[in-house]
Amino acid sequence: MRRFLLASLAIASFFSFAALSRGQDVVQTPPMGWNSWNYFASKVDDKGVRAAADELVATGMKDAGYIYVNIDDTWEGKRDENGVLHTNEKFPDMKALADYVHSKGLKLGIYSSPGPLTCAKYEGSYGHEEQDAKMYAEWGIDYLKYDLCGLRQVMDQQAPNDRVAQMKMMHDAYEKMGKALKATGRPIVYSLCQYGWDAVWEWGPQYGANLWRTTGDIRAAWDSVYSILSSQEGLQSYAGPGHWNDPDMLEVGNGRLNIRENRSHFSMWAMLAAPLLAGNDLPNMKPEIKEILTSKDVIAIDQDKLGKQGHRVYSEGEVDVWERELSGGAKAIAILNAGSDRYSTHPFHLSLEKLGLHGEQKGRDLWTGKDITLSDNMPLEIASHDILLVRIDKVK
Ligand code: GLA
């Protein structure tokens, strides 16, 4: 009898541990992959998603860590009389698409809203949360981006001018889907998209969120990238293995960003321990963009297993100096010239003292691959919107 009791206890505690740890063991480092929205927006279709998956493999991005292939808004069709949501004509068979993506060793992500409608006015999950979550699991979905959008109208209608009640509705909606995903038993990364409202970083993890957007939408222009970057300061303590701040998807290779801006954007997202979700046209990617997106050393900063988000240590003129603590006592230092006029911020002299570093530091410039020694008060010439990203393995 005693032995039976002990065995049952052991089994029970194993299952409760398994239940608790489910969802916690995904994205122990920030998720990496590709998302359709930033480049394709509503033009995404089955063929384009397959092509993106093929390219992740062919370009070596998959080997570099880009695993999630995420379909954003506009895949949704209509619900039938049983409430089952169907895909629209752009996605003839989601299960077959998931099988295809999985056959490449990749994972498939999808998008929905807690509101009746998504941002692009497609069908959302309002009132069908469990049903949709189950269907995602049946399809083999591995990642859900859940975008507030249409719920805002419901919040306005049901609780006009009552912010407290509106926020409660928002919390409840995210909690509901968090529970529904958990109940499927499938590890599905849960990505909250509500633009950082109500300090989501404080409560997101409670509802099983693995990441949460901290800002409004990014645009493929330097002012957008830099203003998002600057607004991340102060959020560093909320990030860690399994739960990340999300300053939005990458615009590397898109729009009007020049090569220096692309490099700085990518470097700083790595400093932020941000999700690295490429958002460009993979089949037509230029070699210099591929080089940025597959930079092993920079990805290693992002994916560092300590999971500590970097922070800005000081700014001088328009030069920002950031640091990120890495595992094994290493450190990454990023020096960004945010000035638009190359000469307005120069010469810049680095202060090791402000960085809490003592004496010369031997490191590696991660964009040239060359050794570099940082010394106190050293003059640095960094072009407008460019960056010096240094890894120091043995910090003094
Ligand atoms: C919102 C999100 C974007 C994208 C679009 C899709 O704007 O913030 O990232 O998902 O909706 O409609």
Side-chain angles (χ1 to χ4, degrees):
M1 184 62 186
R2 199 159 160 259
R3 211 185 273 169
F4 171 73
L5 272 176
L6 280 177
S8 339
L9 259 177
I11 291 169
S13 54
F14 168 78
F15 279 110
S16 57
F17 172 73
L20 272 178
S21 64
R22 188 173 36 230
Q24 296 298 317
D25 44 12
V26 291
V27 294
Q28 290 301 292
T29 59
M32 290 177 67
W34 174 86
N35 174 294
S36 59
W37 186 256
N38 281 355
Y39 185 83
F40 291 98
S42 62
K43 291 196 188 74
V44 64
D45 61 9
D46 178 281
K47 204 164 144 247
V49 173
R50 285 172 194 250
D54 293 345
E55 288 303 314
L56 286 180
V57 176
T59 56
M61 285 177 73
K62 178 193 158 199
D63 290 339
Y66 294 85
I67 294 298
Y68 291 96
V69 181
N70 292 351
I71 304 167
D72 209 279
D73 205 351
T74 81
W75 63 267
E76 309 87 340
K78 293 282 163 235
R79 289 192 191 275
D80 63 22
E81 62 280 11
N82 299 316
V84 178
L85 179 59
H86 293 267
T87 53
N88 61 37
E89 61 291 346
K90 296 191 296 163
F91 289 90
D93 186 342
M94 200 59 95
K95 172 89 178 75
L97 179 56
D99 290 346
Y100 182 79
V101 168
H102 291 154
S103 77
K104 303 261 160 187
L106 299 165
K107 293 176 184 288
L108 188 65
I110 211 160
Y111 167 100
S112 188
S113 172
L117 293 178
T118 67
C119 284
K121 306 270 182 288
Y122 285 69
E123 189 77 22
S125 292
Y126 188 65
H128 296 273
E129 294 79 1
E130 285 86 6
Q131 195 172 18
D132 286 0
K134 261 185 148 173
M135 184 177 69
Y136 302 149
E138 278 157 22
W139 282 344
I141 296 293
D142 306 292
Y143 186 121
L144 172 69
K145 171 174 168 183
Y146 206 43
D147 189 349
L148 184 68
C149 250
L151 192 73
R152 289 186 297 187
Q153 280 83 55
V154 180
M155 283 156 48
D156 280 340
Q157 279 158 12
Q158 294 189 6
N161 306 318
D162 185 345
R163 196 185 135 77
V164 175
Q166 291 200 0
M167 290 301 109
K168 176 151 189 342
M169 288 174 73
M170 180 178 74
H171 279 247
D172 290 350
Y174 280 99
E175 182 176 25
K176 196 167 195 182
M177 185 51 96
K179 282 188 174 153
L181 290 175
K182 196 167 179 194
T184 67
R186 185 178 173 84
I188 298 177
V189 175
Y190 188 26
S191 158
L192 272 46
C193 176
Q194 41 78 283
Y195 339 112
W197 285 15
D198 203 32
V200 59
W201 38 88
E202 288 175 357
W203 49 267
Q206 244 168 273
Y207 305 145
N210 299 111
L211 61 154
W212 45 83
R213 278 272 295 278
T214 54
T215 68
D217 289 12
I218 196 168
R219 284 177 296 105
W222 177 252
D223 63 329
S224 167
V225 171
Y226 186 68
S227 94
I228 288 184
L229 168 66
S230 307
S231 69
Q232 302 310 292
E233 190 43 32
L235 300 185
Q236 58 270 19
S237 62
Y238 298 98
H243 51 96
W244 307 100
N245 290 310
D246 173 9
D248 208 356
M249 306 169 290
L250 295 168
E251 289 283 15
V252 174
N254 286 342
R256 289 179 280 117
L257 294 173
N258 65 34
I259 198 74
R260 300 184 306 276
E261 293 168 341
N262 279 311
R263 193 161 46 218
S264 296
H265 174 21
F266 193 67
S267 305
M268 288 315 299
W269 262 231
M271 289 297 283
L272 290 172
L276 296 180
L277 295 171
N280 57 327
D281 179 11
L282 294 179
N284 294 302
M285 173 164 56
K286 294 203 177 105
E288 61 271 26
I289 296 302
K290 177 177 134 183
E291 208 179 296
I292 292 176
L293 287 172
T294 54
S295 163
K296 260 182 131 178
D297 288 338
V298 182
I299 292 172
I301 302 287
D302 182 75
Q303 296 287 300
D304 185 81
K305 62 176 190 295
L306 202 56
K308 275 202 141 184
Q309 179 173 328
H311 67 108
R312 196 180 60 202
V313 182
Y314 74 98
S315 295
E316 200 177 294
E318 287 172 297
V319 178
D320 298 330
V321 182
W322 289 66
E323 70 170 10
R324 179 171 172 188
E325 206 182 307
L326 304 171
S327 52
K331 232 175 208 184
I333 309 283
I335 305 154
L336 174 70
N337 179 1
S340 48
D341 174 0
R342 173 185 171 96
Y343 300 104
S344 64
T345 52
H346 291 268
F348 167 78
H349 291 89
L350 181 68
S351 164
L352 291 190
E353 202 190 316
K354 285 186 182 157
L355 281 164
L357 299 171
H358 308 290
E360 287 192 344
Q361 306 287 327
K362 287 195 175 22
R364 200 147 38 90
D365 174 334
L366 299 187
W367 287 113
T368 63
K370 293 198 178 120
D371 289 344
I372 182 169
T373 301
L374 299 181
S375 58
D376 205 20
N377 215 25
M378 82 191 279
L380 288 173
E381 275 297 322
I382 298 167
S384 162
H385 301 177
D386 210 347
I387 197 161
L388 172 64
L389 181 62
V390 177
R391 180 187 181 107
I392 306 169
D393 279 319
K394 292 201 180 81
V395 178
K396 284 192 284 176

